[in-house]
Amino acid sequence: MNLIKKNYNGIPLYIAENLNSKVMILLFHGFLSSTQRQNERTEIMEKFYNAGFSVTAIDSVKHGERADFAEFNKMEYLKKERELFYIVEESSKEIDDIIDILTKEKKINNKKVFCCGLSMGGLISWKAASNSKIDGAIIMAATPYFKRFAEYNLERKGDKLTREEIDFLEQIEPFNNIELLRKKTIFIASGSEDIIIPSFFSEEGYKELNKKQNNLNIVYKVYKGGHSDNIEMINGAIKWLLAEVK
């Protein structure tokens, strides 16, 4: 895999182009991870590339080789965790710029663009999927219910959201654009033993997307295992995408 590393206006990009590919994958990593760390643990870039897809992996806001990573990394864990959805929102806002630079450099051409991510990367993909420049999404170990999950996560620790956090999360909920999402090609997956983002979050999201009609373009799968580094889930996503674009 020939990997090109590029920094575009402070956004670290890792590009592996397959010239005959029909799809460009925008790949997002998990919370407190990075493109490099995720790939070392799962080989996810190689897996998509070897299946015939082009891949652009992105170090999300405050992660990896971002300029603000060092300051963020000094914070206590619980303070970092409360930044999660601000990171998700800011990272999803960069999609247009990322696609524009890839288009200018002729890395996309006539390719469809899919966002893809695990955990925080899945949250970013839920948010990004309604973007008009995105054709579809692969969303693993994540949830479209941002406020509900944030409340659930804090309640387990004896804490709760502030009014400011509630207002922010309600404003950025992916299902605010549910009609746009229903038109996209989406693969949703969760781990049967996931205790971080339990599978019911994904299952209920899938059912809500299909409430009005049986959207064959949206599928939901459950895989054995927990929250992260679920290789079977990644392989299942690749198999699904190959069938979608054949």
Side-chain angles (χ1 to χ4, degrees), residues 81-128:
E81 197 172 46
R82 293 194 90 114
E83 293 279 310
L84 171 61
F85 284 101
Y86 295 97
I87 292 167
V88 167
E89 174 68 0
E90 291 306 308
S91 296
S92 68
K93 285 180 178 178
E94 296 175 342
I95 294 289
D96 285 324
D97 288 341
I98 292 168
I99 292 177
D100 286 348
I101 188 62
L102 292 174
T103 300
K104 287 177 183 176
E105 298 199 356
K106 299 182 179 179
K107 301 297 184 184
I108 291 181
N109 297 325
N110 296 318
K111 296 180 177 67
K112 290 184 177 182
V113 180
F114 276 65
C115 50
C116 172
L118 278 155
S119 191
M120 183 182 78
L123 299 174
I124 295 170
S125 296
W126 266 121
K127 184 64 179 174

Side-chain angles (χ1 to χ4, degrees), residues 1-15:
M1 181 176 71
N2 182 26
L3 189 65
I4 299 171
K5 183 178 176 182
K6 184 178 182 66
N7 191 297
Y8 173 73
N9 286 348
I11 306 173
L13 303 177
Y14 305 81
I15 306 167

Side-chain angles (χ1 to χ4, degrees), residues 28-35 38 60 63 84 117-122:
F28 298 94
H29 58 76
F31 186 58
L32 303 183
S33 186
S34 66
T35 292
Q38 178 173 257
S60 298
H63 286 71
L84 171 61
L118 278 155
S119 191
M120 183 182 78

Side-chain angles (χ1 to χ4, degrees), residues 12-35:
L13 303 177
Y14 305 81
I15 306 167
E17 183 182 13
N18 252 318
L19 295 178
N20 296 321
S21 166
K22 297 179 181 179
V23 174
M24 170 62 80
I25 302 288
L26 302 184
L27 182 61
F28 298 94
H29 58 76
F31 186 58
L32 303 183
S33 186
S34 66
T35 292

Side-chain angles (χ1 to χ4, degrees), residues 23-223:
V23 174
M24 170 62 80
I25 302 288
L26 302 184
L27 182 61
F28 298 94
H29 58 76
F31 186 58
L32 303 183
S33 186
S34 66
T35 292
Q36 180 178 347
R37 188 179 302 173
Q38 178 173 257
N39 205 50
E40 286 173 353
R41 292 167 66 104
T42 65
E43 297 184 339
I44 190 169
M45 281 195 76
E46 283 91 343
K47 288 179 182 295
F48 275 102
Y49 180 84
N50 290 338
F53 301 112
S54 292
V55 186
T56 297
I58 302 106
D59 277 343
S60 298
V61 170
K62 297 186 179 182
H63 286 71
E65 297 196 7
R66 295 276 186 155
D68 52 2
F69 167 73
E71 182 178 352
F72 176 69
N73 198 41
K74 294 176 184 177
M75 295 170 61
E76 296 177 0
Y77 177 78
L78 292 179
K79 289 184 178 179
K80 289 178 185 175
E81 197 172 46
R82 293 194 90 114
E83 293 279 310
L84 171 61
F85 284 101
Y86 295 97
I87 292 167
V88 167
E89 174 68 0
E90 291 306 308
S91 296
S92 68
K93 285 180 178 178
E94 296 175 342
I95 294 289
D96 285 324
D97 288 341
I98 292 168
I99 292 177
D100 286 348
I101 188 62
L102 292 174
T103 300
K104 287 177 183 176
E105 298 199 356
K106 299 182 179 179
K107 301 297 184 184
I108 291 181
N109 297 325
N110 296 318
K111 296 180 177 67
K112 290 184 177 182
V113 180
F114 276 65
C115 50
C116 172
L118 278 155
S119 191
M120 183 182 78
L123 299 174
I124 295 170
S125 296
W126 266 121
K127 184 64 179 174
S130 60
N131 188 304
S132 62
K133 296 179 181 179
I134 297 293
D135 296 290
I138 294 171
I139 302 169
M140 299 175 280
T143 174
Y145 301 112
F146 286 7
K147 181 171 78 73
R148 185 178 162 198
F149 169 69
E151 289 172 336
Y152 166 85
N153 190 42
L154 287 175
E155 283 174 5
R156 292 188 303 166
K157 299 165 185 175
D159 203 350
K160 61 182 181 179
L161 294 170
T162 65
R163 181 71 253 176
E164 181 182 358
E165 289 171 331
I166 291 170
D167 291 343
F168 171 71
L169 290 166
E170 288 177 346
Q171 182 181 354
I172 68 166
E173 290 281 6
F175 279 1
N176 290 344
N177 296 308
I178 194 168
E179 295 305 327
L180 292 174
L181 290 171
R182 284 180 171 135
K183 298 175 183 177
K184 301 300 178 83
T185 303
I186 302 177
F187 176 88
I188 306 165
S190 55
S192 60
E193 300 166 28
D194 191 338
I195 61 172
I196 306 300
I197 306 181
S199 59
F200 66 80
F201 279 110
S202 294
E203 183 178 2
E204 291 178 18
Y206 169 72
K207 288 179 179 178
E208 188 165 352
L209 281 173
N210 283 275
K211 189 176 291 184
K212 289 187 176 181
Q213 61 193 50
N214 184 21
N215 287 329
L216 298 178
N217 53 305
I218 301 172
V219 302
Y220 172 58
K221 302 283 187 181
V222 180
Y223 295 88

